[in-house]
Amino acid sequence: MEAVMGAGSILDGIFLLLVLSQHHANSTKICSKSSNFPLLQQNNKLPNHEITSMTTEGPVKCAYNCMSSKMCHSFNFDTNTGNCQLNHATLSPGGLNASYLVTTPGFVFSDISLWPKTIAGACANHNCSVNGFCEPLGKDEYTCGRLVTTPSSCAEVKECDPSSTDGEYWLRLLNFDLYRTRIYCYNMNTDTPVEYLTLPTPNYGIYPNVSNNGCYQETSLVLNCKGSGGEAFYHKIRVHIENMKVQRNDRTFADFSNQDLNYAEATDCFTIHDYGVLRSCGTRGEFTVNLTNTGWIVGPDQEWRAGGWRAIIESIERDDTGAVVHLKCGGFPGYCYPDGGLMLKPFYRTAIPDSSAREVTCPS
């Protein structure tokens, strides 16, 4: 690290000359061998954190483009094609660890905080918006354009392409560092389209038609629980894209048998539990949240709370990624629900599989 930082003062003058040459003549190409720059990590890239990409003349111009956006913290540069990929994440202290880098021949990776601000010229201290991109007008003046042309909501999809109909679209979410995600846009024939997340694997809940109060003998549901049993299959869930909170009582894309069960809520009317102590016959209410291949997970800090009469949470099982959560809860009747609401988190480790989702382009 000391060698890299020490090179900064030497490179500072070189970078300034390169950028000045660009300002003097737009046709001037900034060509350089990436091996000449110790700030570049050779044959590496940071995948799945890309905000946008463009073709540039070299890594210095790629660094310049990164500095032109407040959202950009690092970049990948393809030395064979000139493809410059701007990332919203970095490996600096407080960022990701080095295990996120992937060995990729021909690519170089760099943290933009290591580069001198002089290469940005008039854009060194720009005040463009989250989705803004600084473009210099002269020595001390700049203007702000749009960083990415992908819409950030279903309403923006319709604004950019009025002929858009209900279906899957690629969006870039402003409050998630322009994270690229696949969203189902619904009610596109109205002035207020809404967003849903499609679940490739249906999410399943069961409120069993059985009671065993006191753990003596199983019977069909009794007392005020009679007729309450049922099952639910969720195929899409309503999400609020400003914070990715799930609207758990939206059942537009769910199938039910008898009981309308809320998403991510397990319930039964099996038996009473002794104020936090699980009875020997356990619980029977179950729900499985499965976000596999959606690009989203349940955060590790998400908790569930028990509600109802003499209710208890028997178990909460999560897979290694947080994409799958299996709940077992119950009471007489009793249930468990996400404490504070269910807020989804981006899953950057794996790219979302390609699908028939549409790419809509908005004016830059």
Side-chain angles (χ1 to χ4, degrees):
M1 178 60 73
E2 292 179 359
V4 171
M5 296 303 294
S9 59
I10 298 173
L11 292 171
D12 188 35
I14 298 174
F15 295 154
L16 180 58
L17 288 174
L18 289 169
V19 173
L20 287 176
S21 69
Q22 181 199 27
H23 290 321
H24 286 307
N26 290 334
S27 61
T28 300
K29 288 198 172 186
I30 302 177
C31 299
S32 54
K33 292 181 62 177
S34 61
S35 59
N36 291 338
F37 300 101
L39 301 182
L40 303 173
Q41 297 193 38
Q42 304 292 324
N43 297 315
N44 277 288
K45 70 179 292 188
L46 179 65
N48 304 327
H49 291 76
E50 180 185 336
I51 302 169
T52 190
S53 64
M54 67 282 292
T55 300
T56 65
E57 297 87 344
V60 176
K61 182 61 188 299
C62 190
Y64 168 82
N65 286 341
C66 185
M67 281 195 178
S68 297
S69 166
K70 287 185 176 180
M71 191 71 72
C72 184
H73 298 296
S74 68
F75 65 87
N76 307 313
F77 180 74
D78 187 336
T79 59
N80 295 315
T81 66
N83 182 242
C84 168
Q85 301 172 358
L86 307 187
N87 301 322
H88 63 79
T90 184
L91 305 185
S92 293
L96 304 173
N97 61 55
S99 69
Y100 281 75
L101 284 181
V102 173
T103 300
T104 311
F107 269 84
V108 293
F109 166 83
S110 188
D111 182 336
I112 197 61
S113 68
L114 303 177
W115 293 68
K117 282 195 171 183
T118 48
I119 69 170
C123 291
N125 297 297
H126 70 87
N127 195 32
C128 296
S129 66
V130 171
N131 196 16
F133 188 81
C134 181
E135 299 177 9
L137 296 176
K139 181 180 179 181
D140 299 313
E141 297 181 347
Y142 66 85
T143 185
C144 296
R146 184 183 175 113
L147 177 62
V148 297
T149 57
T150 303
S152 58
S153 68
C154 291
E156 200 168 70
V157 168
K158 184 174 180 180
E159 180 182 342
C160 298
D161 181 5
S163 66
S164 298
T165 57
D166 290 3
E168 301 280 349
Y169 294 87
W170 288 107
L171 303 183
R172 292 271 189 178
L173 302 193
L174 293 179
N175 292 344
F176 291 88
D177 298 329
L178 296 178
Y179 182 58
R180 184 174 185 264
T181 185
R182 189 176 60 222
I183 293 291
Y184 185 87
C185 292
Y186 183 61
N187 280 342
M188 292 293 279
N189 61 340
T190 71
D191 293 331
T192 55
V194 291
E195 291 82 13
Y196 286 82
L197 184 66
T198 297
L199 305 169
T201 302
N203 289 210
Y204 173 70
I206 179 171
Y207 183 160
N209 186 26
V210 63
S211 290
N212 189 1
N213 197 20
C215 295
Y216 300 121
Q217 182 179 3
E218 290 189 7
T219 67
S220 59
L221 292 176
V222 297
L223 303 175
N224 63 331
C225 295
K226 286 183 178 180
S228 298
E231 298 173 290
F233 290 87
Y234 279 85
H235 306 283
K236 302 181 194 294
I237 49 176
R238 171 80 168 95
V239 290
H240 298 274
I241 57 173
E242 64 274 9
N243 56 11
M244 285 304 285
K245 183 175 183 178
V246 179
Q247 188 169 319
R248 299 188 307 106
N249 62 352
D250 187 304
R251 305 180 180 97
T252 305
F253 295 99
D255 295 323
F256 297 91
S257 62
N258 188 40
Q259 181 64 264
D260 292 347
L261 301 176
N262 287 338
Y263 183 76
E265 185 173 302
T267 183
D268 73 12
C269 190
F270 193 56
T271 190
I272 60 174
H273 300 278
D274 297 328
Y275 299 102
V277 178
L278 181 71
R279 294 296 293 268
S280 60
C281 53
T283 63
R284 294 296 178 88
E286 297 185 48
F287 199 100
T288 299
V289 172
N290 192 334
L291 304 174
T292 303
N293 290 332
T294 65
W296 297 89
I297 59 172
V298 176
D301 56 345
Q302 177 70 58
E303 297 182 352
W304 270 258
R305 186 179 293 272
W309 177 245
R310 305 284 284 273
I312 197 169
I313 299 174
E314 180 173 349
S315 64
I316 300 177
E317 298 177 355
R318 308 170 189 247
D319 72 349
D320 293 339
T321 66
V324 181
V325 181
H326 180 70
L327 311 168
K328 288 192 68 177
C329 311
F332 199 69
Y335 55 95
C336 63
Y337 60 95
D339 190 16
L342 183 59
M343 315 282 278
L344 306 186
K345 307 290 185 182
F347 184 47
Y348 296 112
R349 284 282 190 173
T350 303
I352 304 173
D354 289 336
S355 73
S356 57
R358 283 189 58 198
E359 290 272 11
V360 171
T361 301
C362 298
S364 59

